[in-house]
CSV table of all heavy atoms in Angstrom, one decimal:
chain,number,residue,atom,x,y,z
F,1,VAL,N,62.2,93.6,-92.7
F,1,VAL,CA,63.0,94.4,-91.7
F,1,VAL,C,63.6,93.6,-90.6
F,1,VAL,O,63.2,92.4,-90.4
F,1,VAL,CB,62.1,95.5,-91.1
F,1,VAL,CG1,61.6,96.5,-92.1
F,1,VAL,CG2,60.9,94.9,-90.4
F,2,LYS,N,64.6,94.1,-89.9
F,2,LYS,CA,65.4,93.4,-88.9
F,2,LYS,C,64.7,93.2,-87.6
F,2,LYS,O,64.9,92.2,-86.9
F,2,LYS,CB,66.7,94.1,-88.7
F,2,LYS,CG,67.6,94.2,-89.9
F,2,LYS,CD,68.8,95.1,-89.7
F,2,LYS,CE,69.6,95.3,-91.0
F,2,LYS,NZ,70.7,96.2,-90.8
F,3,GLY,N,63.8,94.1,-87.2
F,3,GLY,CA,63.2,94.0,-85.9
F,3,GLY,C,61.7,94.0,-86.0
F,3,GLY,O,61.1,93.4,-87.0
F,4,ARG,N,61.0,94.5,-85.0
F,4,ARG,CA,59.5,94.5,-85.0
F,4,ARG,C,58.9,95.4,-86.1
F,4,ARG,O,57.8,95.2,-86.6
F,4,ARG,CB,59.0,95.0,-83.7
F,4,ARG,CG,59.2,94.0,-82.5
F,4,ARG,CD,58.4,94.5,-81.3
F,4,ARG,NE,59.1,95.7,-80.7
F,4,ARG,CZ,58.6,96.9,-80.9
F,4,ARG,NH1,57.4,97.1,-81.5
F,4,ARG,NH2,59.2,98.0,-80.3
F,5,GLY,N,59.7,96.4,-86.5
F,5,GLY,CA,59.2,97.4,-87.5
F,5,GLY,C,60.4,98.0,-88.2
F,5,GLY,O,61.6,97.6,-88.0
F,6,ILE,N,60.2,99.1,-88.9
F,6,ILE,CA,61.2,99.8,-89.7
F,6,ILE,C,62.1,100.6,-88.7
F,6,ILE,O,61.5,101.4,-87.9
F,6,ILE,CB,60.7,100.7,-90.8
F,6,ILE,CG1,59.7,99.9,-91.6
F,6,ILE,CG2,61.8,101.3,-91.6
F,6,ILE,CD1,58.8,100.8,-92.5
F,7,LYS,N,63.4,100.5,-88.8
F,7,LYS,CA,64.3,101.3,-88.0
F,7,LYS,C,65.1,102.2,-88.9
F,7,LYS,O,65.9,101.7,-89.8
F,7,LYS,CB,65.2,100.4,-87.1
F,7,LYS,CG,64.4,99.6,-86.1
F,7,LYS,CD,65.3,98.9,-85.1
F,7,LYS,CE,65.9,97.6,-85.8
F,7,LYS,NZ,66.6,96.7,-84.8
F,8,VAL,N,65.0,103.5,-88.7
F,8,VAL,CA,65.5,104.5,-89.6
F,8,VAL,C,66.5,105.4,-88.8
F,8,VAL,O,66.3,105.8,-87.7
F,8,VAL,CB,64.4,105.4,-90.2
F,8,VAL,CG1,65.0,106.6,-91.0
F,8,VAL,CG2,63.4,104.6,-91.0
F,9,LEU,N,67.7,105.7,-89.5
F,9,LEU,CA,68.7,106.6,-89.0
F,9,LEU,C,68.8,107.7,-90.0
F,9,LEU,O,69.1,107.5,-91.2
F,9,LEU,CB,70.0,105.9,-88.7
F,9,LEU,CG,71.2,106.8,-88.4
F,9,LEU,CD1,71.0,107.6,-87.1
F,9,LEU,CD2,72.5,106.0,-88.3
F,10,SER,N,68.7,109.0,-89.6
F,10,SER,CA,68.9,110.1,-90.4
F,10,SER,C,70.0,111.0,-89.8
F,10,SER,O,69.9,111.3,-88.6
F,10,SER,CB,67.6,110.9,-90.6
F,10,SER,OG,67.8,112.2,-91.2
F,11,ILE,N,70.9,111.5,-90.6
F,11,ILE,CA,72.0,112.3,-90.1
F,11,ILE,C,72.1,113.6,-90.9
F,11,ILE,O,72.2,113.6,-92.1
F,11,ILE,CB,73.4,111.6,-90.2
F,11,ILE,CG1,73.3,110.2,-89.6
F,11,ILE,CG2,74.5,112.4,-89.5
F,11,ILE,CD1,74.5,109.4,-89.7
F,12,ASP,N,72.0,114.8,-90.2
F,12,ASP,CA,72.1,116.1,-90.8
F,12,ASP,C,73.4,116.4,-91.4
F,12,ASP,O,74.4,115.7,-91.2
F,12,ASP,CB,71.8,117.2,-89.7
F,12,ASP,CG,70.4,117.2,-89.2
F,12,ASP,OD1,69.6,116.3,-89.6
F,12,ASP,OD2,70.1,118.1,-88.4
F,13,GLY,N,73.5,117.5,-92.2
F,13,GLY,CA,74.7,118.0,-92.7
F,13,GLY,C,75.4,118.9,-91.7
F,13,GLY,O,74.7,119.3,-90.7
F,14,GLY,N,76.6,119.3,-91.9
F,14,GLY,CA,77.3,120.2,-90.9
F,14,GLY,C,78.8,120.2,-90.9
F,14,GLY,O,79.4,120.5,-90.0
F,15,GLY,N,79.4,119.7,-92.0
F,15,GLY,CA,80.9,119.7,-92.1
F,15,GLY,C,81.6,118.9,-91.1
F,15,GLY,O,81.1,117.8,-90.7
F,16,THR,N,82.6,119.5,-90.5
F,16,THR,CA,83.4,118.8,-89.5
F,16,THR,C,82.6,118.6,-88.2
F,16,THR,O,83.1,117.9,-87.3
F,16,THR,CB,84.7,119.5,-89.2
F,16,THR,OG1,84.5,120.9,-88.9
F,16,THR,CG2,85.7,119.3,-90.3
F,17,ARG,N,81.4,119.2,-88.1
F,17,ARG,CA,80.6,119.0,-86.9
F,17,ARG,C,80.0,117.6,-86.9
F,17,ARG,O,79.2,117.2,-86.1
F,17,ARG,CB,79.4,120.0,-86.8
F,17,ARG,CG,79.9,121.5,-86.6
F,17,ARG,CD,78.8,122.3,-86.0
F,17,ARG,NE,77.6,122.2,-86.7
F,17,ARG,CZ,77.2,123.1,-87.7
F,17,ARG,NH1,78.0,124.0,-88.1
F,17,ARG,NH2,76.0,122.9,-88.2
F,18,GLY,N,80.4,116.8,-88.0
F,18,GLY,CA,79.9,115.4,-88.0
F,18,GLY,C,80.4,114.6,-86.8
F,18,GLY,O,79.9,113.5,-86.6
F,19,VAL,N,81.4,115.1,-86.1
F,19,VAL,CA,81.9,114.4,-84.9
F,19,VAL,C,80.8,114.4,-83.8
F,19,VAL,O,80.8,113.5,-82.9
F,19,VAL,CB,83.1,115.1,-84.3
F,19,VAL,CG1,84.3,115.0,-85.2
F,19,VAL,CG2,82.9,116.5,-83.9
F,20,VAL,N,79.8,115.3,-83.9
F,20,VAL,CA,78.7,115.3,-82.9
F,20,VAL,C,77.8,114.1,-83.0
F,20,VAL,O,77.7,113.3,-82.0
F,20,VAL,CB,77.8,116.6,-83.1
F,20,VAL,CG1,76.6,116.5,-82.2
F,20,VAL,CG2,78.7,117.8,-82.7
F,21,PRO,N,77.2,113.7,-84.2
F,21,PRO,CA,76.4,112.5,-84.2
F,21,PRO,C,77.3,111.2,-84.0
F,21,PRO,O,76.8,110.2,-83.5
F,21,PRO,CB,75.9,112.5,-85.7
F,21,PRO,CG,76.7,113.5,-86.4
F,21,PRO,CD,77.1,114.5,-85.4
F,22,LEU,N,78.6,111.3,-84.2
F,22,LEU,CA,79.4,110.2,-83.9
F,22,LEU,C,79.4,109.8,-82.5
F,22,LEU,O,79.5,108.6,-82.1
F,22,LEU,CB,80.9,110.5,-84.4
F,22,LEU,CG,81.2,110.2,-85.9
F,22,LEU,CD1,82.6,110.6,-86.2
F,22,LEU,CD2,81.0,108.7,-86.2
F,23,GLN,N,79.3,110.8,-81.6
F,23,GLN,CA,79.3,110.6,-80.1
F,23,GLN,C,78.1,109.8,-79.7
F,23,GLN,O,78.1,109.0,-78.9
F,23,GLN,CB,79.4,111.9,-79.4
F,23,GLN,CG,80.6,112.8,-79.7
F,23,GLN,CD,81.9,112.0,-79.6
F,23,GLN,OE1,82.2,111.4,-78.6
F,23,GLN,NE2,82.7,112.0,-80.7
F,24,VAL,N,76.9,110.2,-80.4
F,24,VAL,CA,75.7,109.5,-80.1
F,24,VAL,C,75.7,108.1,-80.5
F,24,VAL,O,75.3,107.1,-79.8
F,24,VAL,CB,74.5,110.2,-80.7
F,24,VAL,CG1,73.2,109.6,-80.4
F,24,VAL,CG2,74.5,111.7,-80.4
F,25,LEU,N,76.3,107.9,-81.7
F,25,LEU,CA,76.4,106.5,-82.2
F,25,LEU,C,77.3,105.6,-81.4
F,25,LEU,O,77.1,104.4,-81.3
F,25,LEU,CB,76.8,106.6,-83.7
F,25,LEU,CG,75.8,107.2,-84.7
F,25,LEU,CD1,76.4,107.4,-86.1
F,25,LEU,CD2,74.5,106.5,-84.7
F,26,LYS,N,78.4,106.2,-80.9
F,26,LYS,CA,79.3,105.4,-80.0
F,26,LYS,C,78.5,104.9,-78.8
F,26,LYS,O,78.7,103.7,-78.4
F,26,LYS,CB,80.4,106.3,-79.6
F,26,LYS,CG,81.5,106.5,-80.6
F,26,LYS,CD,82.6,107.4,-80.1
F,26,LYS,CE,83.7,107.7,-81.2
F,26,LYS,NZ,84.7,108.6,-80.7
F,27,LEU,N,77.7,105.7,-78.2
F,27,LEU,CA,76.9,105.3,-77.1
F,27,LEU,C,75.9,104.2,-77.4
F,27,LEU,O,75.7,103.2,-76.7
F,27,LEU,CB,76.1,106.5,-76.4
F,27,LEU,CG,76.9,107.3,-75.4
F,27,LEU,CD1,76.1,108.5,-75.0
F,27,LEU,CD2,77.4,106.5,-74.2
F,28,LEU,N,75.3,104.3,-78.6
F,28,LEU,CA,74.3,103.3,-79.1
F,28,LEU,C,75.0,102.0,-79.3
F,28,LEU,O,74.5,100.9,-78.9
F,28,LEU,CB,73.7,103.8,-80.4
F,28,LEU,CG,72.6,104.9,-80.3
F,28,LEU,CD1,72.0,105.1,-81.6
F,28,LEU,CD2,71.6,104.6,-79.2
F,29,GLU,N,76.2,102.0,-79.9
F,29,GLU,CA,76.9,100.7,-80.1
F,29,GLU,C,77.3,100.1,-78.8
F,29,GLU,O,77.2,98.9,-78.6
F,29,GLU,CB,78.1,101.0,-81.0
F,29,GLU,CG,77.8,101.2,-82.5
F,29,GLU,CD,79.0,101.0,-83.4
F,29,GLU,OE1,80.1,100.9,-82.9
F,29,GLU,OE2,78.8,101.0,-84.6
F,30,ALA,N,77.8,101.0,-77.9
F,30,ALA,CA,78.2,100.4,-76.6
F,30,ALA,C,77.0,99.8,-75.8
F,30,ALA,O,77.2,98.8,-75.1
F,30,ALA,CB,78.9,101.5,-75.8
F,31,GLN,N,75.9,100.5,-75.8
F,31,GLN,CA,74.7,100.0,-75.1
F,31,GLN,C,74.0,98.8,-75.7
F,31,GLN,O,73.5,98.0,-75.0
F,31,GLN,CB,73.7,101.2,-74.9
F,31,GLN,CG,74.2,102.3,-74.1
F,31,GLN,CD,74.4,101.9,-72.6
F,31,GLN,OE1,73.6,101.2,-72.0
F,31,GLN,NE2,75.5,102.4,-72.1
F,32,THR,N,74.0,98.7,-77.0
F,32,THR,CA,73.3,97.6,-77.7
F,32,THR,C,74.2,96.5,-78.0
F,32,THR,O,73.7,95.4,-78.3
F,32,THR,CB,72.6,98.1,-79.0
F,32,THR,OG1,73.6,98.6,-79.9
F,32,THR,CG2,71.6,99.3,-78.7
F,33,GLY,N,75.5,96.7,-78.1
F,33,GLY,CA,76.4,95.6,-78.5
F,33,GLY,C,76.3,95.3,-80.0
F,33,GLY,O,76.8,94.3,-80.4
F,34,LYS,N,75.7,96.2,-80.8
F,34,LYS,CA,75.6,96.0,-82.2
F,34,LYS,C,76.2,97.2,-82.9
F,34,LYS,O,76.3,98.3,-82.4
F,34,LYS,CB,74.2,95.9,-82.6
F,34,LYS,CG,73.5,94.6,-82.2
F,34,LYS,CD,72.1,94.5,-82.7
F,34,LYS,CE,71.4,93.2,-82.3
F,34,LYS,NZ,70.0,93.1,-82.8
F,35,LYS,N,76.7,96.9,-84.2
F,35,LYS,CA,77.2,98.0,-85.0
F,35,LYS,C,76.1,98.8,-85.6
F,35,LYS,O,75.0,98.3,-85.7
F,35,LYS,CB,78.1,97.4,-86.1
F,35,LYS,CG,79.3,96.7,-85.6
F,35,LYS,CD,80.3,97.6,-84.9
F,35,LYS,CE,81.6,96.9,-84.5
F,35,LYS,NZ,82.5,97.8,-83.7
F,36,VAL,N,76.4,100.0,-86.1
F,36,VAL,CA,75.4,100.8,-86.7
F,36,VAL,C,74.6,100.2,-87.8
F,36,VAL,O,73.4,100.2,-87.9
F,36,VAL,CB,76.0,102.2,-87.1
F,36,VAL,CG1,75.0,103.0,-87.9
F,36,VAL,CG2,76.5,103.0,-85.9
F,37,HIS,N,75.4,99.5,-88.7
F,37,HIS,CA,74.7,98.9,-89.9
F,37,HIS,C,73.8,97.7,-89.5
F,37,HIS,O,73.0,97.3,-90.3
F,37,HIS,CB,75.8,98.5,-90.9
F,37,HIS,CG,76.6,97.3,-90.5
F,37,HIS,ND1,77.8,97.5,-89.8
F,37,HIS,CD2,76.5,96.0,-90.6
F,37,HIS,CE1,78.4,96.3,-89.6
F,37,HIS,NE2,77.6,95.4,-90.0
F,38,GLN,N,74.1,97.2,-88.3
F,38,GLN,CA,73.2,96.1,-87.8
F,38,GLN,C,72.0,96.6,-87.1
F,38,GLN,O,71.0,95.8,-87.0
F,38,GLN,CB,74.0,95.2,-86.8
F,38,GLN,CG,75.2,94.5,-87.4
F,38,GLN,CD,76.1,93.9,-86.4
F,38,GLN,OE1,76.3,94.4,-85.3
F,38,GLN,NE2,76.6,92.7,-86.7
F,39,LEU,N,72.0,97.8,-86.6
F,39,LEU,CA,70.9,98.4,-85.9
F,39,LEU,C,69.7,98.9,-86.7
F,39,LEU,O,68.6,98.9,-86.3
F,39,LEU,CB,71.4,99.5,-85.0
F,39,LEU,CG,72.2,99.1,-83.7
F,39,LEU,CD1,72.8,100.3,-83.1
F,39,LEU,CD2,71.2,98.4,-82.7
F,40,PHE,N,70.0,99.4,-88.0
F,40,PHE,CA,69.0,100.1,-88.7
F,40,PHE,C,68.8,99.4,-90.1
F,40,PHE,O,69.6,98.8,-90.7
F,40,PHE,CB,69.5,101.5,-89.0
F,40,PHE,CG,69.7,102.3,-87.7
F,40,PHE,CD1,70.9,102.4,-87.1
F,40,PHE,CD2,68.6,102.9,-87.1
F,40,PHE,CE1,71.0,103.2,-85.9
F,40,PHE,CE2,68.7,103.7,-85.9
F,40,PHE,CZ,69.9,103.8,-85.3
F,41,ASP,N,67.5,99.6,-90.5
F,41,ASP,CA,67.1,99.1,-91.8
F,41,ASP,C,67.4,100.1,-92.9
F,41,ASP,O,67.6,99.7,-94.1
F,41,ASP,CB,65.6,98.8,-91.9
F,41,ASP,CG,65.2,97.7,-90.8
F,41,ASP,OD1,65.6,96.6,-91.0
F,41,ASP,OD2,64.5,98.1,-89.8
F,42,TYR,N,67.3,101.4,-92.6
F,42,TYR,CA,67.5,102.5,-93.6
F,42,TYR,C,68.3,103.6,-92.9
F,42,TYR,O,68.0,104.1,-91.8
F,42,TYR,CB,66.1,103.0,-94.0
F,42,TYR,CG,66.2,103.9,-95.2
F,42,TYR,CD1,66.0,103.5,-96.5
F,42,TYR,CD2,66.5,105.3,-95.0
F,42,TYR,CE1,66.0,104.3,-97.6
F,42,TYR,CE2,66.6,106.1,-96.1
F,42,TYR,CZ,66.3,105.7,-97.4
F,42,TYR,OH,66.4,106.5,-98.5
């Protein structure tokens, strides 16, 4: 794994409401300086 332990990202279904988790991920990338695929193992 990339960090101290396993890092998992899970995203629900919801059609065009997929813009909702996108807002959370934008904040994560901005705060950590890493892309989503770099942050998680799964």
Side-chain angles (χ1 to χ4, degrees):
V1 295
K2 300 171 182 176
R4 289 188 291 104
I6 309 167
K7 294 186 284 188
V8 176
L9 170 62
S10 168
I11 310 175
D12 292 4
T16 50
R17 296 204 310 267
V19 297
V20 171
L22 274 175
Q23 304 307 306
V24 184
L25 295 173
K26 282 180 182 177
L27 276 178
L28 287 186
E29 284 197 353
Q31 293 296 318
T32 62
K34 292 183 178 180
K35 299 294 184 183
V36 171
H37 69 270
Q38 297 171 320
L39 284 170
F40 296 95
D41 300 294
Y42 190 96

